[in-house]
Amino acid sequence: MEKEKKVNIEICAACLRDNDNVEAKHWCCDCAEALCEDCGKVHKKSRFTTSHKLIRLRDVKNTKSFLMATSFLCDLHSDLRVTFYCNRHDQLICQTCLLQTHKDCKYITAIDQLMPDRPRSSSNDHFDVLQKQALKLVESIDQLINTRKDNLANLDQQNKTIQETIKKTKSEIIDHLTKLEEELLNSLSVKYDSCVEQIDDEISQLQHNKDLMSIHDSDIELMRKNGSEPYKFTIVKKFEQTKPRTEDIISNFRDRYKPLEIDFTQNEEQLASLYNAMGWVDIKVINRVKSAFTEKTTSPRPTSKQWESPTESKIVPRPVSTRSVSNFKESELSLIKLVPQTPSITQLVLYKKFPTSSSLGENITVSRGCFISGKHMLLCDAQNRFIFVCNLYGSMTEKIPLLYFPHDVALFDRNTAVVAAGERGIQVFDITDSECRPDRFIRPGGKCTAISCIDDQIIVRSGHCKISILDRAGISIFKINTKYDPLLLSAGINGSIYWTSNNGDEVQCIARERSQFICRSETLVGPSGLATDGAGHVFVAGYESGNIHRLSNRGTKSMVLDEGIHHPWGLAFDQDSQRLMIINDDGVSIDIYTVCK
């Protein structure tokens, strides 16, 4: 403690110049120096410093106070004291500043002549204002500190709550897994017992026949040694009559024998949902209310044309609402109120067709794709961790390795594409200058297997029976719970969303105002891929029916193409060139059609 006290002791500056360490008791504001008792007395007696004011150091709260930290030296000439005040520039200056940079300034006054000219009351009023301003700043800082402390308290409570929730969820999952384990083990036991019983029964029958043959063998040997010739003849004939029947039994057992196996099958998607059921921990930036004591704020950063990072502080999460759209009313689809009337599309004319094996590589199967820049395409490898970039003729191919199987791909804007990366979420791709470079990941939670984009928004299948709508930073705007798990989806104009599923031959839709529709056609079987154009028409691929349908913006349904179409998977539409990509023949052929009006 004594050592700490000595460190904080102020030493007399005058004595220190004489190599003597004496504790200071006073502070001279004019000299900006600490003085001991003796030097303080001399300071008052000297005719050069008799007007200086001395303050006892014990009255100064700490050695880092504004009073002691204020320098009376010139900012430009550190060896000279400030002695003048320039009213024009509101600046304290030294003698050299006066002669060099302020020689043309008027209203320059010596500092020692300023204060005496003012009445004492005026000087006190000025200091009162300064003191109030300092107190106001202290109050503002206190409020800022308190808000941070409140935030820390909330974080502590949130931390405890989340920990309790995680523990509770863990316990519930363990209980659920224990129950599943019991059910599976019981089922396994029943299946095993059934197999054992069946095999034991067959072994018992075979053993019975074996025992009979063993008895016959003993009898024959006995008769061969001891029996009379007539009796031997009778035994031989009896055995020859029973032998074929036994051989038939053996042959029957051999022919119908099929080894039994107990198979255990797991649903990977349901397991993935179970693994993700605990939830995600993330940081939210809350939009704060501007307080009354806020003085100035920095101007917002300009919006970049490039993809914005999710950590940008200017992005504020919007409230996430979840509504169920699982109870669709079966009705005819009418989109006339969603989009303007446009002329009907009459036909699709084949523009280019190429097999994936000759363009992308042997045994390559494509599942999904999209146009980029109107002259190139991004194609997802259905069986490997690759995505391909090629032109419309299937040449100039670039093979990009990935860390995951690409499930779907969509064009976000002219410079950006997004890929549904399964459990990894969504990966952003930079496609500027006809190049395709993998960028950051967006993690909306859940397994992302289908994706589409419209109006700076990403629509993605983000889990079993879930569709999430995200902004360009990956922040959730809206969530939809669907009755059936979406297979593929497409976003239309005015915020309408269409999707297909493996359940039924329907195309489901939810419009921007959350009204719901179902559309079906007798000639549309097994709908798979979807694509929307700028006029509001929706193209649907019929996988089982082998055709392409169109839902017009007037609510009419029509089949626009069936010739040459066999098991189509994905669709993609390019608005600039008015071309429709069809991933045909179970993903081994890329067909590009021009949409003619």
Side-chain angles (χ1 to χ4, degrees), residues 548-581:
I548 306 297
H549 283 67
R550 187 200 67 178
L551 311 178
S552 77
N553 59 9
R554 299 180 180 182
T556 59
K557 298 166 288 185
S558 62
M559 182 177 65
V560 293
L561 185 65
D562 60 352
E563 184 177 356
I565 302 300
H566 178 257
H567 284 184
W569 279 4
L571 300 179
F573 186 83
D574 180 55
Q575 181 63 30
D576 294 338
S577 62
Q578 291 292 299
R579 292 192 178 108
L580 179 70
M581 178 205 304

PDB file of all heavy atoms in Angstrom, residues 548-581:
ATOM      1  N   ILE A 548     -45.061 -30.372 -70.121  1.00  0.00           N
ATOM      2  CA  ILE A 548     -44.878 -29.065 -69.496  1.00  0.00           C
ATOM      3  C   ILE A 548     -46.209 -28.335 -69.533  1.00  0.00           C
ATOM      4  O   ILE A 548     -46.817 -28.185 -70.611  1.00  0.00           O
ATOM      5  CB  ILE A 548     -43.798 -28.225 -70.209  1.00  0.00           C
ATOM      6  CG1 ILE A 548     -42.485 -29.000 -70.317  1.00  0.00           C
ATOM      7  CG2 ILE A 548     -43.588 -26.900 -69.486  1.00  0.00           C
ATOM      8  CD1 ILE A 548     -41.846 -29.349 -68.993  1.00  0.00           C
ATOM      9  N   HIS A 549     -46.669 -27.878 -68.373  1.00  0.00           N
ATOM     10  CA  HIS A 549     -47.909 -27.117 -68.270  1.00  0.00           C
ATOM     11  C   HIS A 549     -47.619 -25.650 -67.985  1.00  0.00           C
ATOM     12  O   HIS A 549     -46.540 -25.291 -67.515  1.00  0.00           O
ATOM     13  CB  HIS A 549     -48.797 -27.678 -67.150  1.00  0.00           C
ATOM     14  CG  HIS A 549     -49.518 -28.932 -67.535  1.00  0.00           C
ATOM     15  ND1 HIS A 549     -48.869 -30.117 -67.773  1.00  0.00           N
ATOM     16  CD2 HIS A 549     -50.849 -29.183 -67.725  1.00  0.00           C
ATOM     17  CE1 HIS A 549     -49.753 -31.048 -68.094  1.00  0.00           C
ATOM     18  NE2 HIS A 549     -50.963 -30.520 -68.071  1.00  0.00           N
ATOM     19  N   ARG A 550     -48.618 -24.835 -68.284  1.00  0.00           N
ATOM     20  CA  ARG A 550     -48.514 -23.417 -67.962  1.00  0.00           C
ATOM     21  C   ARG A 550     -49.775 -22.967 -67.240  1.00  0.00           C
ATOM     22  O   ARG A 550     -50.892 -23.251 -67.679  1.00  0.00           O
ATOM     23  CB  ARG A 550     -48.336 -22.577 -69.228  1.00  0.00           C
ATOM     24  CG  ARG A 550     -48.041 -21.109 -68.949  1.00  0.00           C
ATOM     25  CD  ARG A 550     -48.357 -20.232 -70.140  1.00  0.00           C
ATOM     26  NE  ARG A 550     -49.795 -20.207 -70.393  1.00  0.00           N
ATOM     27  CZ  ARG A 550     -50.374 -19.483 -71.352  1.00  0.00           C
ATOM     28  NH1 ARG A 550     -49.621 -18.769 -72.154  1.00  0.00           N
ATOM     29  NH2 ARG A 550     -51.679 -19.502 -71.516  1.00  0.00           N
ATOM     30  N   LEU A 551     -49.550 -22.292 -66.099  1.00  0.00           N
ATOM     31  CA  LEU A 551     -50.655 -21.634 -65.397  1.00  0.00           C
ATOM     32  C   LEU A 551     -50.562 -20.159 -65.770  1.00  0.00           C
ATOM     33  O   LEU A 551     -49.608 -19.480 -65.407  1.00  0.00           O
ATOM     34  CB  LEU A 551     -50.524 -21.807 -63.888  1.00  0.00           C
ATOM     35  CG  LEU A 551     -50.262 -23.229 -63.375  1.00  0.00           C
ATOM     36  CD1 LEU A 551     -50.102 -23.212 -61.862  1.00  0.00           C
ATOM     37  CD2 LEU A 551     -51.376 -24.151 -63.800  1.00  0.00           C
ATOM     38  N   SER A 552     -51.533 -19.674 -66.492  1.00  0.00           N
ATOM     39  CA  SER A 552     -51.445 -18.297 -66.975  1.00  0.00           C
ATOM     40  C   SER A 552     -51.837 -17.320 -65.880  1.00  0.00           C
ATOM     41  O   SER A 552     -52.454 -17.681 -64.871  1.00  0.00           O
ATOM     42  CB  SER A 552     -52.345 -18.097 -68.195  1.00  0.00           C
ATOM     43  OG  SER A 552     -53.706 -17.991 -67.789  1.00  0.00           O
ATOM     44  N   ASN A 553     -51.509 -16.051 -66.132  1.00  0.00           N
ATOM     45  CA  ASN A 553     -51.882 -15.023 -65.167  1.00  0.00           C
ATOM     46  C   ASN A 553     -53.375 -14.727 -65.197  1.00  0.00           C
ATOM     47  O   ASN A 553     -53.861 -13.930 -64.404  1.00  0.00           O
ATOM     48  CB  ASN A 553     -51.077 -13.743 -65.407  1.00  0.00           C
ATOM     49  CG  ASN A 553     -51.299 -13.179 -66.802  1.00  0.00           C
ATOM     50  OD1 ASN A 553     -52.168 -13.627 -67.546  1.00  0.00           O
ATOM     51  ND2 ASN A 553     -50.489 -12.198 -67.169  1.00  0.00           N
ATOM     52  N   ARG A 554     -54.080 -15.352 -66.089  1.00  0.00           N
ATOM     53  CA  ARG A 554     -55.537 -15.187 -66.131  1.00  0.00           C
ATOM     54  C   ARG A 554     -56.253 -16.331 -65.412  1.00  0.00           C
ATOM     55  O   ARG A 554     -57.465 -16.390 -65.399  1.00  0.00           O
ATOM     56  CB  ARG A 554     -56.019 -15.127 -67.589  1.00  0.00           C
ATOM     57  CG  ARG A 554     -55.428 -13.961 -68.362  1.00  0.00           C
ATOM     58  CD  ARG A 554     -55.946 -13.946 -69.784  1.00  0.00           C
ATOM     59  NE  ARG A 554     -55.391 -12.827 -70.528  1.00  0.00           N
ATOM     60  CZ  ARG A 554     -55.692 -12.540 -71.782  1.00  0.00           C
ATOM     61  NH1 ARG A 554     -56.559 -13.306 -72.429  1.00  0.00           N
ATOM     62  NH2 ARG A 554     -55.136 -11.520 -72.389  1.00  0.00           N
ATOM     63  N   GLY A 555     -55.469 -17.252 -64.874  1.00  0.00           N
ATOM     64  CA  GLY A 555     -56.063 -18.355 -64.144  1.00  0.00           C
ATOM     65  C   GLY A 555     -56.337 -19.574 -64.989  1.00  0.00           C
ATOM     66  O   GLY A 555     -56.840 -20.563 -64.486  1.00  0.00           O
ATOM     67  N   THR A 556     -56.007 -19.540 -66.291  1.00  0.00           N
ATOM     68  CA  THR A 556     -56.240 -20.702 -67.144  1.00  0.00           C
ATOM     69  C   THR A 556     -55.051 -21.641 -67.090  1.00  0.00           C
ATOM     70  O   THR A 556     -53.924 -21.229 -66.822  1.00  0.00           O
ATOM     71  CB  THR A 556     -56.481 -20.262 -68.593  1.00  0.00           C
ATOM     72  OG1 THR A 556     -55.313 -19.538 -69.047  1.00  0.00           O
ATOM     73  CG2 THR A 556     -57.701 -19.363 -68.685  1.00  0.00           C
ATOM     74  N   LYS A 557     -55.333 -22.932 -67.369  1.00  0.00           N
ATOM     75  CA  LYS A 557     -54.297 -23.958 -67.352  1.00  0.00           C
ATOM     76  C   LYS A 557     -54.231 -24.594 -68.722  1.00  0.00           C
ATOM     77  O   LYS A 557     -55.260 -24.869 -69.340  1.00  0.00           O
ATOM     78  CB  LYS A 557     -54.621 -25.015 -66.291  1.00  0.00           C
ATOM     79  CG  LYS A 557     -54.673 -24.474 -64.883  1.00  0.00           C
ATOM     80  CD  LYS A 557     -55.326 -25.450 -63.941  1.00  0.00           C
ATOM     81  CE  LYS A 557     -56.821 -25.540 -64.193  1.00  0.00           C
ATOM     82  NZ  LYS A 557     -57.506 -26.397 -63.206  1.00  0.00           N
ATOM     83  N   SER A 558     -53.025 -24.847 -69.172  1.00  0.00           N
ATOM     84  CA  SER A 558     -52.886 -25.481 -70.475  1.00  0.00           C
ATOM     85  C   SER A 558     -51.591 -26.259 -70.538  1.00  0.00           C
ATOM     86  O   SER A 558     -50.626 -25.925 -69.842  1.00  0.00           O
ATOM     87  CB  SER A 558     -52.925 -24.434 -71.597  1.00  0.00           C
ATOM     88  OG  SER A 558     -51.830 -23.533 -71.458  1.00  0.00           O
ATOM     89  N   MET A 559     -51.566 -27.309 -71.381  1.00  0.00           N
ATOM     90  CA  MET A 559     -50.343 -28.058 -71.618  1.00  0.00           C
ATOM     91  C   MET A 559     -49.693 -27.460 -72.857  1.00  0.00           C
ATOM     92  O   MET A 559     -50.306 -27.378 -73.926  1.00  0.00           O
ATOM     93  CB  MET A 559     -50.647 -29.534 -71.838  1.00  0.00           C
ATOM     94  CG  MET A 559     -49.414 -30.397 -72.041  1.00  0.00           C
ATOM     95  SD  MET A 559     -49.820 -32.151 -72.218  1.00  0.00           S
ATOM     96  CE  MET A 559     -50.737 -32.110 -73.764  1.00  0.00           C
ATOM     97  N   VAL A 560     -48.468 -27.003 -72.725  1.00  0.00           N
ATOM     98  CA  VAL A 560     -47.817 -26.305 -73.828  1.00  0.00           C
ATOM     99  C   VAL A 560     -46.777 -27.165 -74.533  1.00  0.00           C
ATOM    100  O   VAL A 560     -46.340 -26.831 -75.625  1.00  0.00           O
ATOM    101  CB  VAL A 560     -47.146 -25.001 -73.334  1.00  0.00           C
ATOM    102  CG1 VAL A 560     -48.178 -24.012 -72.877  1.00  0.00           C
ATOM    103  CG2 VAL A 560     -46.152 -25.304 -72.217  1.00  0.00           C
ATOM    104  N   LEU A 561     -46.368 -28.301 -73.927  1.00  0.00           N
ATOM    105  CA  LEU A 561     -45.342 -29.124 -74.568  1.00  0.00           C
ATOM    106  C   LEU A 561     -45.379 -30.537 -73.995  1.00  0.00           C
ATOM    107  O   LEU A 561     -45.425 -30.717 -72.778  1.00  0.00           O
ATOM    108  CB  LEU A 561     -43.946 -28.520 -74.337  1.00  0.00           C
ATOM    109  CG  LEU A 561     -42.773 -29.208 -75.035  1.00  0.00           C
ATOM    110  CD1 LEU A 561     -42.896 -29.079 -76.551  1.00  0.00           C
ATOM    111  CD2 LEU A 561     -41.451 -28.626 -74.566  1.00  0.00           C
ATOM    112  N   ASP A 562     -45.383 -31.531 -74.878  1.00  0.00           N
ATOM    113  CA  ASP A 562     -45.239 -32.921 -74.450  1.00  0.00           C
ATOM    114  C   ASP A 562     -44.338 -33.708 -75.382  1.00  0.00           C
ATOM    115  O   ASP A 562     -43.791 -34.740 -75.001  1.00  0.00           O
ATOM    116  CB  ASP A 562     -46.602 -33.605 -74.328  1.00  0.00           C
ATOM    117  CG  ASP A 562     -47.352 -33.624 -75.643  1.00  0.00           C
ATOM    118  OD1 ASP A 562     -46.901 -32.978 -76.617  1.00  0.00           O
ATOM    119  OD2 ASP A 562     -48.404 -34.281 -75.690  1.00  0.00           O
ATOM    120  N   GLU A 563     -44.149 -33.229 -76.602  1.00  0.00           N
ATOM    121  CA  GLU A 563     -43.293 -33.921 -77.559  1.00  0.00           C
ATOM    122  C   GLU A 563     -41.826 -33.823 -77.127  1.00  0.00           C
ATOM    123  O   GLU A 563     -41.298 -32.736 -76.911  1.00  0.00           O
ATOM    124  CB  GLU A 563     -43.478 -33.325 -78.960  1.00  0.00           C
ATOM    125  CG  GLU A 563     -42.677 -34.069 -80.029  1.00  0.00           C
ATOM    126  CD  GLU A 563     -42.923 -33.502 -81.411  1.00  0.00           C
ATOM    127  OE1 GLU A 563     -43.779 -32.591 -81.519  1.00  0.00           O
ATOM    128  OE2 GLU A 563     -42.259 -33.933 -82.358  1.00  0.00           O
ATOM    129  N   GLY A 564     -41.167 -34.961 -77.033  1.00  0.00           N
ATOM    130  CA  GLY A 564     -39.752 -34.975 -76.661  1.00  0.00           C
ATOM    131  C   GLY A 564     -39.504 -34.820 -75.177  1.00  0.00           C
ATOM    132  O   GLY A 564     -38.345 -34.732 -74.754  1.00  0.00           O
ATOM    133  N   ILE A 565     -40.565 -34.770 -74.368  1.00  0.00           N
ATOM    134  CA  ILE A 565     -40.413 -34.584 -72.923  1.00  0.00           C
ATOM    135  C   ILE A 565     -40.602 -35.928 -72.227  1.00  0.00           C
ATOM    136  O   ILE A 565     -41.625 -36.598 -72.405  1.00  0.00           O
ATOM    137  CB  ILE A 565     -41.429 -33.556 -72.380  1.00  0.00           C
ATOM    138  CG1 ILE A 565     -41.263 -32.218 -73.101  1.00  0.00           C
ATOM    139  CG2 ILE A 565     -41.232 -33.371 -70.878  1.00  0.00           C
ATOM    140  CD1 ILE A 565     -39.908 -31.584 -72.946  1.00  0.00           C
ATOM    141  N   HIS A 566     -39.601 -36.305 -71.431  1.00  0.00           N
ATOM    142  CA  HIS A 566     -39.667 -37.577 -70.716  1.00  0.00           C
ATOM    143  C   HIS A 566     -39.017 -37.414 -69.342  1.00  0.00           C
ATOM    144  O   HIS A 566     -37.843 -37.068 -69.235  1.00  0.00           O
ATOM    145  CB  HIS A 566     -38.941 -38.669 -71.505  1.00  0.00           C
ATOM    146  CG  HIS A 566     -38.921 -39.991 -70.805  1.00  0.00           C
ATOM    147  ND1 HIS A 566     -37.805 -40.471 -70.148  1.00  0.00           N
ATOM    148  CD2 HIS A 566     -39.897 -40.937 -70.640  1.00  0.00           C
ATOM    149  CE1 HIS A 566     -38.070 -41.640 -69.616  1.00  0.00           C
ATOM    150  NE2 HIS A 566     -39.334 -41.957 -69.894  1.00  0.00           N
ATOM    151  N   HIS A 567     -39.799 -37.587 -68.304  1.00  0.00           N
ATOM    152  CA  HIS A 567     -39.318 -37.452 -66.924  1.00  0.00           C
ATOM    153  C   HIS A 567     -38.532 -36.147 -66.716  1.00  0.00           C
ATOM    154  O   HIS A 567     -37.354 -36.166 -66.359  1.00  0.00           O
ATOM    155  CB  HIS A 567     -38.446 -38.648 -66.540  1.00  0.00           C
ATOM    156  CG  HIS A 567     -39.238 -39.882 -66.260  1.00  0.00           C
ATOM    157  ND1 HIS A 567     -38.662 -41.054 -65.822  1.00  0.00           N
ATOM    158  CD2 HIS A 567     -40.572 -40.134 -66.342  1.00  0.00           C
ATOM    159  CE1 HIS A 567     -39.597 -41.982 -65.666  1.00  0.00           C
ATOM    160  NE2 HIS A 567     -40.760 -41.442 -65.983  1.00  0.00           N
ATOM    161  N   PRO A 568     -39.178 -35.003 -66.929  1.00  0.00           N
ATOM    162  CA  PRO A 568     -38.493 -33.725 -66.680  1.00  0.00           C
ATOM    163  C   PRO A 568     -38.341 -33.465 -65.188  1.00  0.00           C
ATOM    164  O   PRO A 568     -39.242 -33.763 -64.407  1.00  0.00           O
ATOM    165  CB  PRO A 568     -39.425 -32.697 -67.326  1.00  0.00           C
ATOM    166  CG  PRO A 568     -40.788 -33.314 -67.225  1.00  0.00           C
ATOM    167  CD  PRO A 568     -40.566 -34.801 -67.375  1.00  0.00           C
ATOM    168  N   TRP A 569     -37.188 -32.928 -64.803  1.00  0.00           N
ATOM    169  CA  TRP A 569     -36.914 -32.636 -63.400  1.00  0.00           C
ATOM    170  C   TRP A 569     -37.121 -31.152 -63.103  1.00  0.00           C
ATOM    171  O   TRP A 569     -38.139 -30.744 -62.593  1.00  0.00           O
ATOM    172  CB  TRP A 569     -35.484 -33.059 -63.038  1.00  0.00           C
ATOM    173  CG  TRP A 569     -35.348 -34.505 -62.751  1.00  0.00           C
ATOM    174  CD1 TRP A 569     -36.319 -35.455 -62.857  1.00  0.00           C
ATOM    175  CD2 TRP A 569     -34.166 -35.179 -62.315  1.00  0.00           C
ATOM    176  NE1 TRP A 569     -35.819 -36.685 -62.514  1.00  0.00           N
ATOM    177  CE2 TRP A 569     -34.510 -36.554 -62.170  1.00  0.00           C
ATOM    178  CE3 TRP A 569     -32.868 -34.791 -62.038  1.00  0.00           C
ATOM    179  CZ2 TRP A 569     -33.576 -37.505 -61.764  1.00  0.00           C
ATOM    180  CZ3 TRP A 569     -31.947 -35.740 -61.626  1.00  0.00           C
ATOM    181  CH2 TRP A 569     -32.294 -37.076 -61.491  1.00  0.00           C
ATOM    182  N   GLY A 570     -36.100 -30.355 -63.415  1.00  0.00           N
ATOM    183  CA  GLY A 570     -36.123 -28.941 -63.054  1.00  0.00           C
ATOM    184  C   GLY A 570     -36.423 -28.042 -64.240  1.00  0.00           C
ATOM    185  O   GLY A 570     -36.220 -28.411 -65.402  1.00  0.00           O
ATOM    186  N   LEU A 571     -36.913 -26.835 -63.927  1.00  0.00           N
ATOM    187  CA  LEU A 571     -37.164 -25.798 -64.926  1.00  0.00           C
ATOM    188  C   LEU A 571     -36.495 -24.504 -64.497  1.00  0.00           C
ATOM    189  O   LEU A 571     -36.301 -24.262 -63.296  1.00  0.00           O
ATOM    190  CB  LEU A 571     -38.669 -25.548 -65.095  1.00  0.00           C
ATOM    191  CG  LEU A 571     -39.568 -26.707 -65.544  1.00  0.00           C
ATOM    192  CD1 LEU A 571     -41.011 -26.227 -65.622  1.00  0.00           C
ATOM    193  CD2 LEU A 571     -39.117 -27.259 -66.886  1.00  0.00           C
ATOM    194  N   ALA A 572     -36.142 -23.676 -65.471  1.00  0.00           N
ATOM    195  CA  ALA A 572     -35.621 -22.338 -65.182  1.00  0.00           C
ATOM    196  C   ALA A 572     -35.988 -21.428 -66.336  1.00  0.00           C
ATOM    197  O   ALA A 572     -36.022 -21.863 -67.496  1.00  0.00           O
ATOM    198  CB  ALA A 572     -34.102 -22.365 -64.981  1.00  0.00           C
ATOM    199  N   PHE A 573     -36.286 -20.150 -66.028  1.00  0.00           N
ATOM    200  CA  PHE A 573     -36.714 -19.204 -67.051  1.00  0.00           C
ATOM    201  C   PHE A 573     -35.800 -17.987 -67.045  1.00  0.00           C
ATOM    202  O   PHE A 573     -35.425 -17.485 -65.976  1.00  0.00           O
ATOM    203  CB  PHE A 573     -38.166 -18.769 -66.807  1.00  0.00           C
ATOM    204  CG  PHE A 573     -38.730 -17.905 -67.898  1.00  0.00           C
ATOM    205  CD1 PHE A 573     -39.257 -18.465 -69.042  1.00  0.00           C
ATOM    206  CD2 PHE A 573     -38.702 -16.521 -67.786  1.00  0.00           C
ATOM    207  CE1 PHE A 573     -39.778 -17.680 -70.056  1.00  0.00           C
ATOM    208  CE2 PHE A 573     -39.208 -15.718 -68.798  1.00  0.00           C
ATOM    209  CZ  PHE A 573     -39.746 -16.304 -69.937  1.00  0.00           C
ATOM    210  N   ASP A 574     -35.420 -17.523 -68.242  1.00  0.00           N
ATOM    211  CA  ASP A 574     -34.612 -16.310 -68.372  1.00  0.00           C
ATOM    212  C   ASP A 574     -35.474 -15.212 -68.977  1.00  0.00           C
ATOM    213  O   ASP A 574     -35.937 -15.331 -70.126  1.00  0.00           O
ATOM    214  CB  ASP A 574     -33.386 -16.570 -69.259  1.00  0.00           C
ATOM    215  CG  ASP A 574     -32.531 -15.330 -69.407  1.00  0.00           C
ATOM    216  OD1 ASP A 574     -32.119 -14.763 -68.365  1.00  0.00           O
ATOM    217  OD2 ASP A 574     -32.288 -14.898 -70.545  1.00  0.00           O
ATOM    218  N   GLN A 575     -35.708 -14.145 -68.214  1.00  0.00           N
ATOM    219  CA  GLN A 575     -36.611 -13.095 -68.633  1.00  0.00           C
ATOM    220  C   GLN A 575     -36.070 -12.312 -69.834  1.00  0.00           C
ATOM    221  O   GLN A 575     -36.825 -11.933 -70.726  1.00  0.00           O
ATOM    222  CB  GLN A 575     -36.855 -12.134 -67.452  1.00  0.00           C
ATOM    223  CG  GLN A 575     -37.808 -11.001 -67.734  1.00  0.00           C
ATOM    224  CD  GLN A 575     -39.210 -11.482 -68.050  1.00  0.00           C
ATOM    225  OE1 GLN A 575     -39.647 -12.514 -67.561  1.00  0.00           O
ATOM    226  NE2 GLN A 575     -39.926 -10.738 -68.885  1.00  0.00           N
ATOM    227  N   ASP A 576     -34.768 -12.075 -69.875  1.00  0.00           N
ATOM    228  CA  ASP A 576     -34.190 -11.268 -70.955  1.00  0.00           C
ATOM    229  C   ASP A 576     -34.305 -11.958 -72.307  1.00  0.00           C
ATOM    230  O   ASP A 576     -34.684 -11.343 -73.302  1.00  0.00           O
ATOM    231  CB  ASP A 576     -32.723 -10.960 -70.645  1.00  0.00           C
ATOM    232  CG  ASP A 576     -32.571 -10.057 -69.426  1.00  0.00           C
ATOM    233  OD1 ASP A 576     -33.556  -9.349 -69.092  1.00  0.00           O
ATOM    234  OD2 ASP A 576     -31.501 -10.062 -68.801  1.00  0.00           O
ATOM    235  N   SER A 577     -33.975 -13.236 -72.360  1.00  0.00           N
ATOM    236  CA  SER A 577     -34.003 -13.949 -73.638  1.00  0.00           C
ATOM    237  C   SER A 577     -35.311 -14.683 -73.881  1.00  0.00           C
ATOM    238  O   SER A 577     -35.499 -15.247 -74.962  1.00  0.00           O
ATOM    239  CB  SER A 577     -32.842 -14.941 -73.691  1.00  0.00           C
ATOM    240  OG  SER A 577     -32.973 -15.917 -72.656  1.00  0.00           O
ATOM    241  N   GLN A 578     -36.199 -14.695 -72.897  1.00  0.00           N
ATOM    242  CA  GLN A 578     -37.479 -15.403 -72.993  1.00  0.00           C
ATOM    243  C   GLN A 578     -37.262 -16.879 -73.345  1.00  0.00           C
ATOM    244  O   GLN A 578     -37.890 -17.433 -74.241  1.00  0.00           O
ATOM    245  CB  GLN A 578     -38.387 -14.737 -74.032  1.00  0.00           C
ATOM    246  CG  GLN A 578     -38.898 -13.372 -73.632  1.00  0.00           C
ATOM    247  CD  GLN A 578     -39.882 -13.438 -72.460  1.00  0.00           C
ATOM    248  OE1 GLN A 578     -40.935 -14.064 -72.562  1.00  0.00           O
ATOM    249  NE2 GLN A 578     -39.541 -12.781 -71.383  1.00  0.00           N
ATOM    250  N   ARG A 579     -36.321 -17.508 -72.593  1.00  0.00           N
ATOM    251  CA  ARG A 579     -36.023 -18.912 -72.831  1.00  0.00           C
ATOM    252  C   ARG A 579     -36.337 -19.732 -71.579  1.00  0.00           C
ATOM    253  O   ARG A 579     -36.132 -19.278 -70.459  1.00  0.00           O
ATOM    254  CB  ARG A 579     -34.569 -19.110 -73.238  1.00  0.00           C
ATOM    255  CG  ARG A 579     -34.238 -18.523 -74.612  1.00  0.00           C
ATOM    256  CD  ARG A 579     -32.889 -18.997 -75.104  1.00  0.00           C
ATOM    257  NE  ARG A 579     -32.614 -18.467 -76.430  1.00  0.00           N
ATOM    258  CZ  ARG A 579     -31.725 -17.512 -76.694  1.00  0.00           C
ATOM    259  NH1 ARG A 579     -31.001 -17.006 -75.706  1.00  0.00           N
ATOM    260  NH2 ARG A 579     -31.528 -17.079 -77.918  1.00  0.00           N
ATOM    261  N   LEU A 580     -36.771 -20.961 -71.825  1.00  0.00           N
ATOM    262  CA  LEU A 580     -37.109 -21.888 -70.754  1.00  0.00           C
ATOM    263  C   LEU A 580     -36.156 -23.083 -70.809  1.00  0.00           C
ATOM    264  O   LEU A 580     -36.014 -23.722 -71.855  1.00  0.00           O
ATOM    265  CB  LEU A 580     -38.549 -22.371 -70.895  1.00  0.00           C
ATOM    266  CG  LEU A 580     -39.044 -23.365 -69.845  1.00  0.00           C
ATOM    267  CD1 LEU A 580     -39.192 -22.701 -68.488  1.00  0.00           C
ATOM    268  CD2 LEU A 580     -40.372 -23.995 -70.291  1.00  0.00           C
ATOM    269  N   MET A 581     -35.474 -23.348 -69.696  1.00  0.00           N
ATOM    270  CA  MET A 581     -34.605 -24.515 -69.594  1.00  0.00           C
ATOM    271  C   MET A 581     -35.395 -25.669 -68.991  1.00  0.00           C
ATOM    272  O   MET A 581     -36.058 -25.512 -67.967  1.00  0.00           O
ATOM    273  CB  MET A 581     -33.393 -24.212 -68.708  1.00  0.00           C
ATOM    274  CG  MET A 581     -32.451 -25.404 -68.519  1.00  0.00           C
ATOM    275  SD  MET A 581     -31.489 -25.314 -66.978  1.00  0.00           S
ATOM    276  CE  MET A 581     -30.692 -23.737 -67.140  1.00  0.00           C
TER     277      MET A 581
END
